[in-house]
Structure formats: structure tokens, C-alpha cells
Amino acid sequence: MTTLDELRRSPNALAAHYSRFRVADRLLLSGHSHQAWPDVALEGQVRAFEDAAECVDEKWGRAFAKADEVRAGYRTLLGDPAGEIALGANTHELVIRFLSALDLPGRPRLVTTDGEFHTLRRQLARLREASVDVVAVPAEPADTLAERLAEQIDGRTAAVLVSAVLFETSRIVPGLGILAAACRERSVELLVDGYHALGAVPLPIHDLGLGDAWIVGGGYKYLQLGEGNCFLRLPRQAEDLRPVITGWYAEFDALAERRPGLVGYGPGATRFAGSTYDPTSNYRAARVFAFFAEQGLTPEFLRQSYLHQTGLLAEEFDALDAPEELITRDRTAPRTEFGGFVSLRTPRAGELQRALAGRGVLTDSRGEFLRFGPAPYLSDEQLVSSVAALGEALRAL
């Protein structure tokens, strides 16, 4: 098992497991977007090919077993051992299935925030154009966001959609359990986007009062699972819904008994299933989930690692003493109220991102936010060097 001290040293104790991504030789501060995959991920991809070559069309039994391992990994992260988990290639297709199950003709109102990732932002904006009443509550200040969302719920509201961690600012949204209770009281569905939480911020949904909530997320970012590994966690009331947008896998278990009449659905999460997919991603994800277990990379352990790394990045940034009108960060809350990356607000975010890339530091920018995303395989020395490169870029402006 790796210790936190071993992660802070140079070289980082985990770095050897990521040799193909050369994490020890590069300053990859894009961990909030695309983390490196451990070398063992390739074992999963090769195994997918070998199973297909050996079994041809009979490979699906083995592929479905890998999918079950991925579901088990997400259940563990959510603290939801009996949870119903639907899988998808991306969160958009899963959100679409969720939206298609709502009674939008009868309750044509959706409540969200203006700080949601583009998956929700764009789709909800398009629904607004199609005459759905979409209310976007300002995401800032995050401290009161859940309360302000609850105030917007009325008898016409079908669902509330909000992130657990805001993708631009890294702020954790507190009080989601209170919001969930308000939704429950009015028979409104609550969908929580957990993408920027899982792997960086523990999300034990029952402890947080989110047992009745839908949780969507994926492993492209902090979990290092790569593309094609997203999930939708279904609450109990999902068994009463009939989503419009599903694939033939949604009745896979009942095909032999199919009868004319209403479209049928399988049990549990099956009713939100899609159709034929590339199982390679699940093979890779199952192997990476196993690697995390082998290395002791639990949600609690990873949280301590990210708190240290983001704290160090924030301290090094403050030491630059850069003009606040040029670049600044949110100092209104302690680091414990932020997720797994540091967000710097600057009108020259894109320019600075490009300047950093030219200095060998990979970050990203979203609008006026320049985001530094560490990862557990980076050493303290690498983080300090990355902020030093930012200082050079700022002086060159």
C-alpha cells in the first residue's frame, strides 16, 4: 500500500505504474480533465481483444461480467452496495434517458444552475428553446446554492439538476441533502452530477441524504478509467418510470417473452439501458478499479492526497503575489470546500494556458478560469515547478 508521504516525494511512489504516460517526466496538470491511465489499463484492453478473438459473438457473457465489475466499482465509491447502476458511453446519453422518463408535458419546468458542465448546459438550453421552462439559478455563491435551488421548486417542476462540485470553480456544493428533502416533499426528481467529485471528493450518497437522488458521473477524470465509462445511479422510484429514449438492451432479459402492446422494460437499471456497445472500455475500467484497490487508493485516501496537492498549489500561487486584476483565486473558503483542482480567475486564461503548454505544463481553461488539476502520481516538486512556470508566463505578458 502506498502512503501519502511516498506520493509527495520525488519521484512519486505511484509514478512507476504510469510509465506509458511518462508522468514522472511531464508536468500533467490536466488531472481534472484527463488523468493518465496506469499501465495495467492496457491489460484490460488486450483482454477485451483476446476474449473477442476466442469467443467471437459469445464474448458477451464475459463482457457483461466486466460491466458488472464496473458497476461494483461505482457502488463502492457511492457507498451504495445495493444501488442500481446503468452504464453508458457518456453522461449525455444517460441524462437524455433520465429526461425522457420525466413527465415534461405535465410538469414542464426544470431547475438548474448557470454553472453546469456543457452536457447539461447545452441540452437544457435547447429544451428551453423547445418551450420547456428551464430556470438557471446563479451558481455563485456556492454556499447558498442548494437553498436557492430549493426555493425555485414549485408544482410544475419535474426535476432539479445540479453538480456536486462545480466544474469551473472547483467549489463543493453544500446542503444537497436539504435540497433532496425539498425535492422529495414535492415529488420532484433530483439529479446530481458527481463527475468532479468521484475520485477527488468522497460522495457517500446515503450519508449525504441523497438516497432518493439520481447520480450521474464517469471515470474519464479522477478515476483514470478512460473514455466510455459513465454511469447513472437509479433511486427506488425509477422502477415506476418508463423512459422514452432507451435501446433494445432495456428489454434484453424479456426478449423471448415479448408480446404486442406496450414496450417492455427489464428489471432494475436495465430499463435505462442502451444497446450494442464497445465493451473494451469496461475491460479497461475493471482493471483500473482493481489497481486502485491494490494500491489502497480509497476515496478517503485520495481526498487527503488532493487536499495536500491543491493546498500546495494555492500556497505557491499566493507566493507569486500576482496582481489580482490579472489573476486571482477564491479565498473566501478553506481548501476543504473545494474539489480536486485549483481554479484561477483571469481574463487571459486561454493565453496563459497556451503559454504554460509552451513551457511544458499541461493545464486547461474554461472561459475566464485557468484550471490546475493535480493527480496522485505527481510529486510536490512537480507541482511547485508548474506554478513557477505560471509565474514566468505572467511576467512575460
Side-chain angles (χ1 to χ4, degrees):
M1 296 292 184
T2 308
T3 67
L4 287 170
D5 284 341
E6 290 173 328
L7 298 188
R8 297 166 186 171
R9 298 173 190 163
S10 184
N12 178 299
L14 280 176
H17 295 287
Y18 297 81
S19 65
R20 291 178 177 273
F21 273 77
R22 298 185 289 112
V23 301
D25 306 320
R26 299 197 285 176
L27 299 178
L28 301 178
L29 272 293
S30 53
H32 52 294
S33 180
H34 186 314
Q35 291 207 2
W37 304 343
D39 295 338
V40 296
L42 184 58
E43 295 177 11
Q45 299 206 169
V46 171
R47 179 65 182 274
F49 184 95
E50 291 174 342
D51 281 357
E54 178 184 349
C55 303
V56 196
D57 201 38
E58 296 301 315
K59 71 183 181 186
W60 289 106
R62 298 183 184 184
F64 292 161
K66 292 299 178 184
D68 284 340
E69 291 180 38
V70 176
R71 292 186 182 93
Y74 283 127
R75 290 188 186 105
T76 298
L77 289 168
L78 297 172
D80 191 29
E84 291 286 352
I85 304 288
L87 299 178
N90 53 69
T91 55
H92 181 256
E93 69 175 73
L94 295 165
V95 168
I96 288 295
R97 295 177 206 169
F98 164 77
L99 290 171
S100 77
L102 301 177
D103 178 21
L104 289 179
R107 306 183 78 165
R109 180 180 171 93
L110 298 172
V111 177
T112 187
T113 85
D114 66 1
E116 298 307 307
F117 186 69
H118 306 304
T119 296
L120 286 180
R121 176 200 58 78
R122 184 179 187 279
Q123 189 59 68
L124 296 183
R126 183 63 184 88
L127 286 175
R128 181 187 289 118
E129 292 178 351
S131 299
V132 175
D133 181 12
V134 177
V135 177
V137 174
E140 294 183 345
D143 290 339
T144 61
L145 179 54
E147 176 182 295
R148 289 183 286 114
L149 286 167
E151 290 173 352
Q152 293 294 327
I153 297 173
D154 61 19
R156 300 173 63 250
T157 305
V160 177
L161 306 94
V162 62
S163 292
V165 176
L166 298 171
F167 87 102
E168 289 181 318
T169 65
S170 191
R171 279 300 303 270
I172 296 171
V173 178
L176 290 179
I178 297 173
L179 175 60
C183 288
R184 186 183 313 118
E185 182 179 348
R186 303 296 293 271
S187 298
V188 172
E189 302 297 342
L190 172 62
L191 182 139
V192 176
D193 182 350
Y195 220 136
H196 270 293
L198 290 178
V201 179
L203 195 66
I205 60 173
H206 296 287
D207 293 345
L208 294 172
L210 298 176
D212 293 336
W214 305 71
I215 314 293
V216 69
Y220 186 67
K221 305 180 189 296
Y222 309 92
L223 298 178
Q224 305 171 12
L225 306 183
E227 300 88 346
N229 289 295
C230 292
F231 75 94
L232 176 67
R233 181 267 179 182
L234 279 59
R236 286 187 300 271
Q237 65 269 25
E239 64 187 23
D240 298 324
L241 300 180
R242 304 182 72 248
V244 176
I245 309 298
T246 56
W248 68 277
Y249 276 27
E251 59 175 356
F252 191 87
D253 297 330
L255 285 176
E257 293 79 31
R258 188 167 60 90
R259 298 286 186 273
L262 284 176
V263 173
Y265 294 87
T270 302
R271 68 177 45 239
F272 281 81
S275 54
T276 309
Y277 64 101
D278 180 358
T280 305
S281 56
N282 289 167
Y283 276 81
R284 182 179 63 241
R287 186 63 188 92
V288 174
F289 269 132
F291 170 79
F292 269 47
E294 293 159 6
Q295 298 299 321
L297 302 180
T298 64
E300 295 73 24
F301 180 90
L302 290 170
R303 179 58 174 159
Q304 291 306 308
S305 176
Y306 282 109
L307 282 173
H308 168 75
Q309 291 183 320
T310 57
L312 178 59
L313 288 168
E315 290 173 6
E316 292 295 313
F317 170 74
D318 289 348
L320 296 177
D321 198 24
E324 292 216 352
E325 64 273 15
L326 176 58
I327 188 169
T328 189
R329 69 178 182 89
D330 185 352
R331 298 182 178 88
T332 63
R335 291 309 311 166
T336 52
E337 295 184 21
F338 291 84
F341 65 95
V342 173
S343 184
L344 305 174
R345 180 169 272 170
T346 168
R348 305 179 76 169
E351 184 179 354
L352 285 168
Q353 178 194 353
R354 292 188 292 273
L356 284 166
R359 290 169 169 79
V361 182
L362 294 188
T363 60
D364 82 346
S365 61
R366 300 285 185 179
E368 62 178 353
F369 296 98
L370 176 66
R371 306 189 302 174
F372 276 66
Y377 44 73
L378 295 180
S379 68
D380 284 6
E381 181 179 332
Q382 289 174 295
L383 302 182
V384 171
S385 296
S386 298
V387 180
L390 174 61
E392 294 174 4
L394 289 169
R395 288 190 291 273
L397 288 178

